[in-house]
Amino acid sequence: MSATDPDCLFCKIVAGEIPATVVASDERTVTFMDINPATRGHALVVPRTHARDLLEIDPDDLAAVAQAGQRLAKVAKDTLGADGINLINSCGADAWQTVFHFHLHVIPRYAGDPLKLPWVPGPGDMDKIAATGAELKEHYA
Ligand code: AMP
Ligand code: ZN
């Protein structure tokens, strides 16, 4: 494990080298909107320090990611009117992991929404994603 992997997409987002709709960050974590959202408000929490997956992540980073996920879940309920939340982590390709920098999916759920897991990722409307991200960010204050 190294602090940053030069070939890692999410390390580049953490470093601000590629654009993302970041809604929150702290010493150990960054939270940003998923570009292929399963539902409105779907976001990812990642550790700043590169770790491939659940088996590799530093336990203190894992705790920080979980806490950031809980915070986001509360904001999503209050701000977006989510009725429930799925927290999902995929560890390994056979468990659906496609980006190999640990991430926790925070997926707001809405009563009667049509989502079935595993979802089939499809490109979201970037304007709507940015607007939802801005709404969430505002309520972190
Ligand atoms: P997983 O399949 O659990 O590894 O999840 C990877 C997630 O990363 C998917 O939900 C993708 O939509 C999301 N994703 C991939 N590239 C980006 C990106 N540039 N910005 C935000 N989310 C991304
Ligand atoms: Zn990384």
Side-chain angles (χ1 to χ4, degrees):
M1 181 173 69
S2 61
T4 302
D5 177 338
D7 298 324
C8 171
L9 177 64
F10 288 174
C11 281
K12 290 187 176 127
I13 288 179
V14 167
E17 289 167 11
I18 63 168
T21 302
V22 174
V23 299
S25 60
D26 58 34
E27 206 176 293
R28 285 183 178 267
T29 72
V30 177
T31 298
F32 55 93
M33 304 308 287
D34 195 302
I35 54 170
N36 305 303
T39 64
R40 179 168 184 250
H42 179 179
L44 304 172
V45 185
V46 303
R48 288 184 180 277
T49 298
H50 181 82
R52 180 181 169 82
D53 59 23
L54 178 66
L55 302 176
E56 196 178 90
I57 187 172
D58 175 278
D60 289 336
D61 276 349
L62 181 60
V65 167
Q67 286 167 31
Q70 183 189 42
R71 184 89 201 281
L72 176 60
K74 288 178 178 166
V75 173
K77 282 203 95 172
D78 292 348
T79 305
L80 305 180
D83 300 301
I85 309 284
N86 283 122
L87 291 184
I88 297 178
N89 169 253
S90 302
C91 176
D94 291 311
W96 317 330
Q97 186 175 6
T98 60
V99 176
F100 292 88
H101 176 130
F102 180 94
H103 49 282
L104 182 65
H105 293 266
V106 180
I107 305 179
R109 301 301 304 270
Y110 305 92
D113 74 41
L115 181 64
K116 297 271 180 285
L117 298 174
W119 71 97
V120 180
D125 175 326
M126 291 311 289
D127 289 340
K128 282 190 183 157
I129 291 171
T132 304
E135 234 180 291
L136 290 168
K137 187 174 177 179
E138 204 181 300
H139 288 83
Y140 267 85

PDB file of all heavy atoms in Angstrom, residues 5 7-13 18 32 34-36 44-47 50-54 89-93 95-105 121:
ATOM      1  N   ASP A   5      -1.555   6.138  -5.482  1.00  0.00           N
ATOM      2  CA  ASP A   5      -1.201   5.292  -6.617  1.00  0.00           C
ATOM      3  C   ASP A   5      -1.383   6.145  -7.874  1.00  0.00           C
ATOM      4  O   ASP A   5      -2.495   6.603  -8.161  1.00  0.00           O
ATOM      5  CB  ASP A   5      -2.129   4.070  -6.634  1.00  0.00           C
ATOM      6  CG  ASP A   5      -1.892   3.158  -7.829  1.00  0.00           C
ATOM      7  OD1 ASP A   5      -1.334   3.630  -8.842  1.00  0.00           O
ATOM      8  OD2 ASP A   5      -2.284   1.989  -7.748  1.00  0.00           O
ATOM      9  N   ASP A   7      -1.701   5.561 -10.841  1.00  0.00           N
ATOM     10  CA  ASP A   7      -2.620   5.067 -11.872  1.00  0.00           C
ATOM     11  C   ASP A   7      -4.063   4.962 -11.367  1.00  0.00           C
ATOM     12  O   ASP A   7      -4.914   4.410 -12.067  1.00  0.00           O
ATOM     13  CB  ASP A   7      -2.170   3.681 -12.350  1.00  0.00           C
ATOM     14  CG  ASP A   7      -0.789   3.736 -12.976  1.00  0.00           C
ATOM     15  OD1 ASP A   7      -0.494   4.745 -13.644  1.00  0.00           O
ATOM     16  OD2 ASP A   7      -0.016   2.788 -12.764  1.00  0.00           O
ATOM     17  N   CYS A   8      -4.309   5.449 -10.160  1.00  0.00           N
ATOM     18  CA  CYS A   8      -5.626   5.216  -9.552  1.00  0.00           C
ATOM     19  C   CYS A   8      -6.550   6.416  -9.763  1.00  0.00           C
ATOM     20  O   CYS A   8      -6.230   7.549  -9.418  1.00  0.00           O
ATOM     21  CB  CYS A   8      -5.446   4.933  -8.063  1.00  0.00           C
ATOM     22  SG  CYS A   8      -6.998   4.884  -7.165  1.00  0.00           S
ATOM     23  N   LEU A   9      -7.730   6.106 -10.309  1.00  0.00           N
ATOM     24  CA  LEU A   9      -8.735   7.133 -10.597  1.00  0.00           C
ATOM     25  C   LEU A   9      -9.126   7.907  -9.336  1.00  0.00           C
ATOM     26  O   LEU A   9      -9.203   9.145  -9.338  1.00  0.00           O
ATOM     27  CB  LEU A   9      -9.958   6.420 -11.192  1.00  0.00           C
ATOM     28  CG  LEU A   9     -11.186   7.229 -11.526  1.00  0.00           C
ATOM     29  CD1 LEU A   9     -10.868   8.229 -12.627  1.00  0.00           C
ATOM     30  CD2 LEU A   9     -12.335   6.315 -11.935  1.00  0.00           C
ATOM     31  N   PHE A  10      -9.397   7.186  -8.255  1.00  0.00           N
ATOM     32  CA  PHE A  10      -9.888   7.868  -7.056  1.00  0.00           C
ATOM     33  C   PHE A  10      -8.754   8.629  -6.346  1.00  0.00           C
ATOM     34  O   PHE A  10      -9.016   9.657  -5.716  1.00  0.00           O
ATOM     35  CB  PHE A  10     -10.601   6.898  -6.114  1.00  0.00           C
ATOM     36  CG  PHE A  10     -11.957   6.436  -6.638  1.00  0.00           C
ATOM     37  CD1 PHE A  10     -12.678   5.464  -5.963  1.00  0.00           C
ATOM     38  CD2 PHE A  10     -12.518   6.990  -7.773  1.00  0.00           C
ATOM     39  CE1 PHE A  10     -13.927   5.042  -6.428  1.00  0.00           C
ATOM     40  CE2 PHE A  10     -13.768   6.578  -8.263  1.00  0.00           C
ATOM     41  CZ  PHE A  10     -14.472   5.594  -7.577  1.00  0.00           C
ATOM     42  N   CYS A  11      -7.507   8.174  -6.468  1.00  0.00           N
ATOM     43  CA  CYS A  11      -6.391   8.987  -5.953  1.00  0.00           C
ATOM     44  C   CYS A  11      -6.348  10.316  -6.697  1.00  0.00           C
ATOM     45  O   CYS A  11      -6.077  11.367  -6.100  1.00  0.00           O
ATOM     46  CB  CYS A  11      -5.054   8.260  -6.123  1.00  0.00           C
ATOM     47  SG  CYS A  11      -4.715   6.999  -4.883  1.00  0.00           S
ATOM     48  N   LYS A  12      -6.640  10.272  -7.995  1.00  0.00           N
ATOM     49  CA  LYS A  12      -6.620  11.513  -8.783  1.00  0.00           C
ATOM     50  C   LYS A  12      -7.762  12.435  -8.358  1.00  0.00           C
ATOM     51  O   LYS A  12      -7.603  13.657  -8.331  1.00  0.00           O
ATOM     52  CB  LYS A  12      -6.716  11.199 -10.281  1.00  0.00           C
ATOM     53  CG  LYS A  12      -5.439  10.540 -10.797  1.00  0.00           C
ATOM     54  CD  LYS A  12      -5.476  10.377 -12.300  1.00  0.00           C
ATOM     55  CE  LYS A  12      -4.147   9.815 -12.787  1.00  0.00           C
ATOM     56  NZ  LYS A  12      -4.245   8.645 -13.608  1.00  0.00           N
ATOM     57  N   ILE A  13      -8.902  11.864  -8.015  1.00  0.00           N
ATOM     58  CA  ILE A  13     -10.012  12.697  -7.518  1.00  0.00           C
ATOM     59  C   ILE A  13      -9.631  13.299  -6.170  1.00  0.00           C
ATOM     60  O   ILE A  13      -9.819  14.499  -5.933  1.00  0.00           O
ATOM     61  CB  ILE A  13     -11.321  11.868  -7.436  1.00  0.00           C
ATOM     62  CG1 ILE A  13     -11.841  11.607  -8.859  1.00  0.00           C
ATOM     63  CG2 ILE A  13     -12.373  12.582  -6.591  1.00  0.00           C
ATOM     64  CD1 ILE A  13     -13.103  10.785  -8.953  1.00  0.00           C
ATOM     65  N   ILE A  18      -8.487  15.210 -11.273  1.00  0.00           N
ATOM     66  CA  ILE A  18      -9.597  15.090 -12.216  1.00  0.00           C
ATOM     67  C   ILE A  18     -10.860  15.559 -11.501  1.00  0.00           C
ATOM     68  O   ILE A  18     -10.956  15.457 -10.278  1.00  0.00           O
ATOM     69  CB  ILE A  18      -9.756  13.666 -12.809  1.00  0.00           C
ATOM     70  CG1 ILE A  18     -10.087  12.647 -11.746  1.00  0.00           C
ATOM     71  CG2 ILE A  18      -8.536  13.225 -13.579  1.00  0.00           C
ATOM     72  CD1 ILE A  18     -10.528  11.335 -12.371  1.00  0.00           C
ATOM     73  N   PHE A  32     -17.688  12.200  -2.608  1.00  0.00           N
ATOM     74  CA  PHE A  32     -18.050  12.829  -3.882  1.00  0.00           C
ATOM     75  C   PHE A  32     -19.169  12.048  -4.550  1.00  0.00           C
ATOM     76  O   PHE A  32     -19.404  10.872  -4.250  1.00  0.00           O
ATOM     77  CB  PHE A  32     -16.829  12.946  -4.817  1.00  0.00           C
ATOM     78  CG  PHE A  32     -16.105  11.641  -5.086  1.00  0.00           C
ATOM     79  CD1 PHE A  32     -16.432  10.859  -6.184  1.00  0.00           C
ATOM     80  CD2 PHE A  32     -15.098  11.198  -4.244  1.00  0.00           C
ATOM     81  CE1 PHE A  32     -15.771   9.664  -6.439  1.00  0.00           C
ATOM     82  CE2 PHE A  32     -14.427   9.994  -4.478  1.00  0.00           C
ATOM     83  CZ  PHE A  32     -14.765   9.236  -5.578  1.00  0.00           C
ATOM     84  N   ASP A  34     -21.275   9.957  -7.188  1.00  0.00           N
ATOM     85  CA  ASP A  34     -21.035   8.923  -8.194  1.00  0.00           C
ATOM     86  C   ASP A  34     -21.579   9.425  -9.536  1.00  0.00           C
ATOM     87  O   ASP A  34     -22.679   9.986  -9.594  1.00  0.00           O
ATOM     88  CB  ASP A  34     -21.753   7.628  -7.771  1.00  0.00           C
ATOM     89  CG  ASP A  34     -21.267   6.413  -8.540  1.00  0.00           C
ATOM     90  OD1 ASP A  34     -21.365   6.419  -9.796  1.00  0.00           O
ATOM     91  OD2 ASP A  34     -20.794   5.455  -7.921  1.00  0.00           O
ATOM     92  N   ILE A  35     -20.790   9.240 -10.590  1.00  0.00           N
ATOM     93  CA  ILE A  35     -21.236   9.765 -11.905  1.00  0.00           C
ATOM     94  C   ILE A  35     -22.250   8.844 -12.597  1.00  0.00           C
ATOM     95  O   ILE A  35     -22.821   9.222 -13.616  1.00  0.00           O
ATOM     96  CB  ILE A  35     -20.052  10.039 -12.863  1.00  0.00           C
ATOM     97  CG1 ILE A  35     -19.164   8.819 -13.029  1.00  0.00           C
ATOM     98  CG2 ILE A  35     -19.269  11.250 -12.426  1.00  0.00           C
ATOM     99  CD1 ILE A  35     -18.122   8.982 -14.146  1.00  0.00           C
ATOM    100  N   ASN A  36     -22.430   7.649 -12.056  1.00  0.00           N
ATOM    101  CA  ASN A  36     -23.445   6.730 -12.603  1.00  0.00           C
ATOM    102  C   ASN A  36     -24.412   6.370 -11.477  1.00  0.00           C
ATOM    103  O   ASN A  36     -24.437   5.231 -11.003  1.00  0.00           O
ATOM    104  CB  ASN A  36     -22.790   5.444 -13.121  1.00  0.00           C
ATOM    105  CG  ASN A  36     -21.704   5.711 -14.132  1.00  0.00           C
ATOM    106  OD1 ASN A  36     -21.946   6.350 -15.147  1.00  0.00           O
ATOM    107  ND2 ASN A  36     -20.496   5.246 -13.862  1.00  0.00           N
ATOM    108  N   LEU A  44     -19.967   8.458  -3.016  1.00  0.00           N
ATOM    109  CA  LEU A  44     -18.910   7.537  -2.605  1.00  0.00           C
ATOM    110  C   LEU A  44     -18.060   8.217  -1.541  1.00  0.00           C
ATOM    111  O   LEU A  44     -17.742   9.405  -1.673  1.00  0.00           O
ATOM    112  CB  LEU A  44     -18.012   7.187  -3.803  1.00  0.00           C
ATOM    113  CG  LEU A  44     -18.716   6.590  -5.025  1.00  0.00           C
ATOM    114  CD1 LEU A  44     -17.727   6.486  -6.196  1.00  0.00           C
ATOM    115  CD2 LEU A  44     -19.302   5.218  -4.705  1.00  0.00           C
ATOM    116  N   VAL A  45     -17.695   7.463  -0.523  1.00  0.00           N
ATOM    117  CA  VAL A  45     -16.740   7.956   0.474  1.00  0.00           C
ATOM    118  C   VAL A  45     -15.461   7.150   0.305  1.00  0.00           C
ATOM    119  O   VAL A  45     -15.501   5.907   0.282  1.00  0.00           O
ATOM    120  CB  VAL A  45     -17.263   7.783   1.910  1.00  0.00           C
ATOM    121  CG1 VAL A  45     -16.282   8.423   2.897  1.00  0.00           C
ATOM    122  CG2 VAL A  45     -18.655   8.375   2.083  1.00  0.00           C
ATOM    123  N   VAL A  46     -14.342   7.846   0.175  1.00  0.00           N
ATOM    124  CA  VAL A  46     -13.055   7.164  -0.009  1.00  0.00           C
ATOM    125  C   VAL A  46     -12.045   7.669   1.024  1.00  0.00           C
ATOM    126  O   VAL A  46     -12.115   8.820   1.459  1.00  0.00           O
ATOM    127  CB  VAL A  46     -12.474   7.388  -1.433  1.00  0.00           C
ATOM    128  CG1 VAL A  46     -13.451   6.933  -2.500  1.00  0.00           C
ATOM    129  CG2 VAL A  46     -12.059   8.833  -1.670  1.00  0.00           C
ATOM    130  N   PRO A  47     -11.091   6.819   1.376  1.00  0.00           N
ATOM    131  CA  PRO A  47      -9.980   7.307   2.195  1.00  0.00           C
ATOM    132  C   PRO A  47      -9.025   8.111   1.320  1.00  0.00           C
ATOM    133  O   PRO A  47      -8.877   7.819   0.127  1.00  0.00           O
ATOM    134  CB  PRO A  47      -9.307   6.019   2.690  1.00  0.00           C
ATOM    135  CG  PRO A  47      -9.608   5.015   1.611  1.00  0.00           C
ATOM    136  CD  PRO A  47     -10.955   5.391   1.051  1.00  0.00           C
ATOM    137  N   HIS A  50      -4.384   5.766  -0.450  1.00  0.00           N
ATOM    138  CA  HIS A  50      -4.761   4.674  -1.335  1.00  0.00           C
ATOM    139  C   HIS A  50      -4.756   3.335  -0.603  1.00  0.00           C
ATOM    140  O   HIS A  50      -3.790   2.988   0.080  1.00  0.00           O
ATOM    141  CB  HIS A  50      -3.812   4.584  -2.535  1.00  0.00           C
ATOM    142  CG  HIS A  50      -4.186   3.472  -3.475  1.00  0.00           C
ATOM    143  ND1 HIS A  50      -5.165   3.610  -4.433  1.00  0.00           N
ATOM    144  CD2 HIS A  50      -3.759   2.192  -3.553  1.00  0.00           C
ATOM    145  CE1 HIS A  50      -5.300   2.473  -5.082  1.00  0.00           C
ATOM    146  NE2 HIS A  50      -4.457   1.588  -4.568  1.00  0.00           N
ATOM    147  N   ALA A  51      -5.834   2.604  -0.757  1.00  0.00           N
ATOM    148  CA  ALA A  51      -5.899   1.205  -0.310  1.00  0.00           C
ATOM    149  C   ALA A  51      -6.804   0.512  -1.308  1.00  0.00           C
ATOM    150  O   ALA A  51      -7.840   1.060  -1.704  1.00  0.00           O
ATOM    151  CB  ALA A  51      -6.474   1.095   1.086  1.00  0.00           C
ATOM    152  N   ARG A  52      -6.408  -0.669  -1.727  1.00  0.00           N
ATOM    153  CA  ARG A  52      -7.124  -1.358  -2.793  1.00  0.00           C
ATOM    154  C   ARG A  52      -8.561  -1.723  -2.409  1.00  0.00           C
ATOM    155  O   ARG A  52      -9.490  -1.539  -3.188  1.00  0.00           O
ATOM    156  CB  ARG A  52      -6.311  -2.607  -3.124  1.00  0.00           C
ATOM    157  CG  ARG A  52      -6.850  -3.471  -4.186  1.00  0.00           C
ATOM    158  CD  ARG A  52      -5.952  -4.699  -4.384  1.00  0.00           C
ATOM    159  NE  ARG A  52      -6.641  -5.658  -5.237  1.00  0.00           N
ATOM    160  CZ  ARG A  52      -6.663  -5.581  -6.562  1.00  0.00           C
ATOM    161  NH1 ARG A  52      -6.041  -4.610  -7.182  1.00  0.00           N
ATOM    162  NH2 ARG A  52      -7.322  -6.464  -7.271  1.00  0.00           N
ATOM    163  N   ASP A  53      -8.717  -2.212  -1.192  1.00  0.00           N
ATOM    164  CA  ASP A  53     -10.037  -2.753  -0.843  1.00  0.00           C
ATOM    165  C   ASP A  53     -10.180  -2.916   0.661  1.00  0.00           C
ATOM    166  O   ASP A  53      -9.310  -2.503   1.435  1.00  0.00           O
ATOM    167  CB  ASP A  53     -10.281  -4.078  -1.579  1.00  0.00           C
ATOM    168  CG  ASP A  53      -9.231  -5.139  -1.246  1.00  0.00           C
ATOM    169  OD1 ASP A  53      -8.593  -5.043  -0.181  1.00  0.00           O
ATOM    170  OD2 ASP A  53      -9.050  -6.063  -2.067  1.00  0.00           O
ATOM    171  N   LEU A  54     -11.263  -3.553   1.048  1.00  0.00           N
ATOM    172  CA  LEU A  54     -11.578  -3.767   2.472  1.00  0.00           C
ATOM    173  C   LEU A  54     -10.466  -4.496   3.212  1.00  0.00           C
ATOM    174  O   LEU A  54     -10.242  -4.261   4.404  1.00  0.00           O
ATOM    175  CB  LEU A  54     -12.879  -4.580   2.568  1.00  0.00           C
ATOM    176  CG  LEU A  54     -13.364  -4.964   3.965  1.00  0.00           C
ATOM    177  CD1 LEU A  54     -13.755  -3.725   4.767  1.00  0.00           C
ATOM    178  CD2 LEU A  54     -14.539  -5.921   3.874  1.00  0.00           C
ATOM    179  N   ASN A  89     -20.195  -1.860   0.086  1.00  0.00           N
ATOM    180  CA  ASN A  89     -18.780  -1.930  -0.302  1.00  0.00           C
ATOM    181  C   ASN A  89     -18.574  -3.245  -1.024  1.00  0.00           C
ATOM    182  O   ASN A  89     -18.991  -4.302  -0.544  1.00  0.00           O
ATOM    183  CB  ASN A  89     -17.848  -1.859   0.912  1.00  0.00           C
ATOM    184  CG  ASN A  89     -16.413  -2.202   0.522  1.00  0.00           C
ATOM    185  OD1 ASN A  89     -15.922  -3.277   0.857  1.00  0.00           O
ATOM    186  ND2 ASN A  89     -15.767  -1.328  -0.212  1.00  0.00           N
ATOM    187  N   SER A  90     -17.928  -3.163  -2.164  1.00  0.00           N
ATOM    188  CA  SER A  90     -17.602  -4.362  -2.926  1.00  0.00           C
ATOM    189  C   SER A  90     -16.109  -4.615  -2.791  1.00  0.00           C
ATOM    190  O   SER A  90     -15.302  -3.732  -3.077  1.00  0.00           O
ATOM    191  CB  SER A  90     -17.985  -4.170  -4.393  1.00  0.00           C
ATOM    192  OG  SER A  90     -19.369  -3.880  -4.488  1.00  0.00           O
ATOM    193  N   CYS A  91     -15.764  -5.806  -2.358  1.00  0.00           N
ATOM    194  CA  CYS A  91     -14.352  -6.153  -2.150  1.00  0.00           C
ATOM    195  C   CYS A  91     -13.981  -7.271  -3.104  1.00  0.00           C
ATOM    196  O   CYS A  91     -14.347  -8.430  -2.882  1.00  0.00           O
ATOM    197  CB  CYS A  91     -14.134  -6.573  -0.701  1.00  0.00           C
ATOM    198  SG  CYS A  91     -12.453  -7.131  -0.353  1.00  0.00           S
ATOM    199  N   GLY A  92     -13.284  -6.892  -4.181  1.00  0.00           N
ATOM    200  CA  GLY A  92     -12.861  -7.888  -5.166  1.00  0.00           C
ATOM    201  C   GLY A  92     -13.774  -7.918  -6.373  1.00  0.00           C
ATOM    202  O   GLY A  92     -14.981  -7.653  -6.275  1.00  0.00           O
ATOM    203  N   ALA A  93     -13.182  -8.228  -7.515  1.00  0.00           N
ATOM    204  CA  ALA A  93     -13.928  -8.241  -8.778  1.00  0.00           C
ATOM    205  C   ALA A  93     -15.131  -9.178  -8.713  1.00  0.00           C
ATOM    206  O   ALA A  93     -16.194  -8.889  -9.270  1.00  0.00           O
ATOM    207  CB  ALA A  93     -13.002  -8.639  -9.927  1.00  0.00           C
ATOM    208  N   ALA A  95     -16.936  -9.687  -6.292  1.00  0.00           N
ATOM    209  CA  ALA A  95     -17.976  -9.067  -5.462  1.00  0.00           C
ATOM    210  C   ALA A  95     -18.421  -7.739  -6.070  1.00  0.00           C
ATOM    211  O   ALA A  95     -18.947  -6.879  -5.363  1.00  0.00           O
ATOM    212  CB  ALA A  95     -17.460  -8.863  -4.042  1.00  0.00           C
ATOM    213  N   TRP A  96     -18.172  -7.570  -7.389  1.00  0.00           N
ATOM    214  CA  TRP A  96     -18.614  -6.416  -8.193  1.00  0.00           C
ATOM    215  C   TRP A  96     -17.694  -5.219  -8.101  1.00  0.00           C
ATOM    216  O   TRP A  96     -18.023  -4.157  -8.638  1.00  0.00           O
ATOM    217  CB  TRP A  96     -20.041  -5.928  -7.842  1.00  0.00           C
ATOM    218  CG  TRP A  96     -21.101  -6.935  -7.636  1.00  0.00           C
ATOM    219  CD1 TRP A  96     -21.201  -8.175  -8.212  1.00  0.00           C
ATOM    220  CD2 TRP A  96     -22.255  -6.811  -6.782  1.00  0.00           C
ATOM    221  NE1 TRP A  96     -22.331  -8.805  -7.785  1.00  0.00           N
ATOM    222  CE2 TRP A  96     -22.997  -8.006  -6.903  1.00  0.00           C
ATOM    223  CE3 TRP A  96     -22.727  -5.790  -5.946  1.00  0.00           C
ATOM    224  CZ2 TRP A  96     -24.188  -8.218  -6.206  1.00  0.00           C
ATOM    225  CZ3 TRP A  96     -23.913  -6.007  -5.256  1.00  0.00           C
ATOM    226  CH2 TRP A  96     -24.621  -7.211  -5.389  1.00  0.00           C
ATOM    227  N   GLN A  97     -16.531  -5.305  -7.425  1.00  0.00           N
ATOM    228  CA  GLN A  97     -15.654  -4.123  -7.358  1.00  0.00           C
ATOM    229  C   GLN A  97     -15.072  -3.846  -8.744  1.00  0.00           C
ATOM    230  O   GLN A  97     -14.581  -4.774  -9.409  1.00  0.00           O
ATOM    231  CB  GLN A  97     -14.513  -4.337  -6.346  1.00  0.00           C
ATOM    232  CG  GLN A  97     -13.673  -3.078  -6.130  1.00  0.00           C
ATOM    233  CD  GLN A  97     -12.611  -3.237  -5.032  1.00  0.00           C
ATOM    234  OE1 GLN A  97     -12.414  -4.322  -4.488  1.00  0.00           O
ATOM    235  NE2 GLN A  97     -11.937  -2.149  -4.725  1.00  0.00           N
ATOM    236  N   THR A  98     -15.145  -2.590  -9.163  1.00  0.00           N
ATOM    237  CA  THR A  98     -14.593  -2.211 -10.471  1.00  0.00           C
ATOM    238  C   THR A  98     -13.509  -1.135 -10.347  1.00  0.00           C
ATOM    239  O   THR A  98     -12.680  -1.010 -11.241  1.00  0.00           O
ATOM    240  CB  THR A  98     -15.690  -1.683 -11.421  1.00  0.00           C
ATOM    241  OG1 THR A  98     -16.310  -0.539 -10.836  1.00  0.00           O
ATOM    242  CG2 THR A  98     -16.739  -2.746 -11.708  1.00  0.00           C
ATOM    243  N   VAL A  99     -13.518  -0.368  -9.269  1.00  0.00           N
ATOM    244  CA  VAL A  99     -12.469   0.630  -9.041  1.00  0.00           C
ATOM    245  C   VAL A  99     -11.712   0.193  -7.787  1.00  0.00           C
ATOM    246  O   VAL A  99     -12.315   0.043  -6.713  1.00  0.00           O
ATOM    247  CB  VAL A  99     -13.049   2.045  -8.858  1.00  0.00           C
ATOM    248  CG1 VAL A  99     -11.931   3.036  -8.533  1.00  0.00           C
ATOM    249  CG2 VAL A  99     -13.799   2.489 -10.117  1.00  0.00           C
ATOM    250  N   PHE A 100     -10.407   0.019  -7.951  1.00  0.00           N
ATOM    251  CA  PHE A 100      -9.647  -0.624  -6.881  1.00  0.00           C
ATOM    252  C   PHE A 100      -8.939   0.381  -5.975  1.00  0.00           C
ATOM    253  O   PHE A 100      -7.731   0.324  -5.762  1.00  0.00           O
ATOM    254  CB  PHE A 100      -8.726  -1.694  -7.491  1.00  0.00           C
ATOM    255  CG  PHE A 100      -9.563  -2.833  -8.037  1.00  0.00           C
ATOM    256  CD1 PHE A 100     -10.057  -2.800  -9.330  1.00  0.00           C
ATOM    257  CD2 PHE A 100      -9.930  -3.887  -7.215  1.00  0.00           C
ATOM    258  CE1 PHE A 100     -10.881  -3.804  -9.811  1.00  0.00           C
ATOM    259  CE2 PHE A 100     -10.751  -4.906  -7.687  1.00  0.00           C
ATOM    260  CZ  PHE A 100     -11.226  -4.865  -8.989  1.00  0.00           C
ATOM    261  N   HIS A 101      -9.737   1.304  -5.481  1.00  0.00           N
ATOM    262  CA  HIS A 101      -9.390   2.189  -4.368  1.00  0.00           C
ATOM    263  C   HIS A 101     -10.619   2.085  -3.480  1.00  0.00           C
ATOM    264  O   HIS A 101     -11.742   2.390  -3.937  1.00  0.00           O
ATOM    265  CB  HIS A 101      -9.154   3.620  -4.877  1.00  0.00           C
ATOM    266  CG  HIS A 101      -8.878   4.652  -3.821  1.00  0.00           C
ATOM    267  ND1 HIS A 101      -7.804   5.524  -3.903  1.00  0.00           N
ATOM    268  CD2 HIS A 101      -9.540   4.990  -2.685  1.00  0.00           C
ATOM    269  CE1 HIS A 101      -7.813   6.344  -2.855  1.00  0.00           C
ATOM    270  NE2 HIS A 101      -8.872   6.041  -2.105  1.00  0.00           N
ATOM    271  N   PHE A 102     -10.449   1.661  -2.245  1.00  0.00           N
ATOM    272  CA  PHE A 102     -11.589   1.394  -1.363  1.00  0.00           C
ATOM    273  C   PHE A 102     -12.627   2.516  -1.449  1.00  0.00           C
ATOM    274  O   PHE A 102     -12.279   3.702  -1.417  1.00  0.00           O
ATOM    275  CB  PHE A 102     -11.120   1.260   0.096  1.00  0.00           C
ATOM    276  CG  PHE A 102     -12.261   0.982   1.032  1.00  0.00           C
ATOM    277  CD1 PHE A 102     -12.589  -0.319   1.367  1.00  0.00           C
ATOM    278  CD2 PHE A 102     -13.033   2.020   1.547  1.00  0.00           C
ATOM    279  CE1 PHE A 102     -13.667  -0.590   2.207  1.00  0.00           C
ATOM    280  CE2 PHE A 102     -14.120   1.758   2.382  1.00  0.00           C
ATOM    281  CZ  PHE A 102     -14.431   0.455   2.714  1.00  0.00           C
ATOM    282  N   HIS A 103     -13.877   2.155  -1.542  1.00  0.00           N
ATOM    283  CA  HIS A 103     -14.947   3.158  -1.498  1.00  0.00           C
ATOM    284  C   HIS A 103     -16.206   2.560  -0.897  1.00  0.00           C
ATOM    285  O   HIS A 103     -16.509   1.390  -1.093  1.00  0.00           O
ATOM    286  CB  HIS A 103     -15.247   3.738  -2.890  1.00  0.00           C
ATOM    287  CG  HIS A 103     -15.435   2.702  -3.952  1.00  0.00           C
ATOM    288  ND1 HIS A 103     -14.372   2.045  -4.548  1.00  0.00           N
ATOM    289  CD2 HIS A 103     -16.544   2.191  -4.515  1.00  0.00           C
ATOM    290  CE1 HIS A 103     -14.838   1.183  -5.445  1.00  0.00           C
ATOM    291  NE2 HIS A 103     -16.155   1.247  -5.434  1.00  0.00           N
ATOM    292  N   LEU A 104     -16.896   3.413  -0.180  1.00  0.00           N
ATOM    293  CA  LEU A 104     -18.183   3.042   0.403  1.00  0.00           C
ATOM    294  C   LEU A 104     -19.263   3.758  -0.395  1.00  0.00           C
ATOM    295  O   LEU A 104     -19.257   4.990  -0.501  1.00  0.00           O
ATOM    296  CB  LEU A 104     -18.224   3.490   1.873  1.00  0.00           C
ATOM    297  CG  LEU A 104     -19.490   3.142   2.657  1.00  0.00           C
ATOM    298  CD1 LEU A 104     -19.648   1.627   2.798  1.00  0.00           C
ATOM    299  CD2 LEU A 104     -19.442   3.797   4.043  1.00  0.00           C
ATOM    300  N   HIS A 105     -20.167   2.962  -0.984  1.00  0.00           N
ATOM    301  CA  HIS A 105     -21.315   3.567  -1.672  1.00  0.00           C
ATOM    302  C   HIS A 105     -22.350   3.960  -0.626  1.00  0.00           C
ATOM    303  O   HIS A 105     -22.716   3.149   0.238  1.00  0.00           O
ATOM    304  CB  HIS A 105     -21.990   2.548  -2.601  1.00  0.00           C
ATOM    305  CG  HIS A 105     -21.176   2.116  -3.772  1.00  0.00           C
ATOM    306  ND1 HIS A 105     -21.276   2.711  -5.002  1.00  0.00           N
ATOM    307  CD2 HIS A 105     -20.246   1.135  -3.909  1.00  0.00           C
ATOM    308  CE1 HIS A 105     -20.461   2.102  -5.868  1.00  0.00           C
ATOM    309  NE2 HIS A 105     -19.819   1.138  -5.224  1.00  0.00           N
ATOM    310  N   PRO A 121     -24.827   0.186 -13.706  1.00  0.00           N
ATOM    311  CA  PRO A 121     -24.449   1.596 -13.775  1.00  0.00           C
ATOM    312  C   PRO A 121     -24.697   2.171 -15.163  1.00  0.00           C
ATOM    313  O   PRO A 121     -24.436   1.525 -16.174  1.00  0.00           O
ATOM    314  CB  PRO A 121     -22.944   1.589 -13.475  1.00  0.00           C
ATOM    315  CG  PRO A 121     -22.664   0.263 -12.867  1.00  0.00           C
ATOM    316  CD  PRO A 121     -23.693  -0.685 -13.424  1.00  0.00           C
TER     317      PRO A 121
END
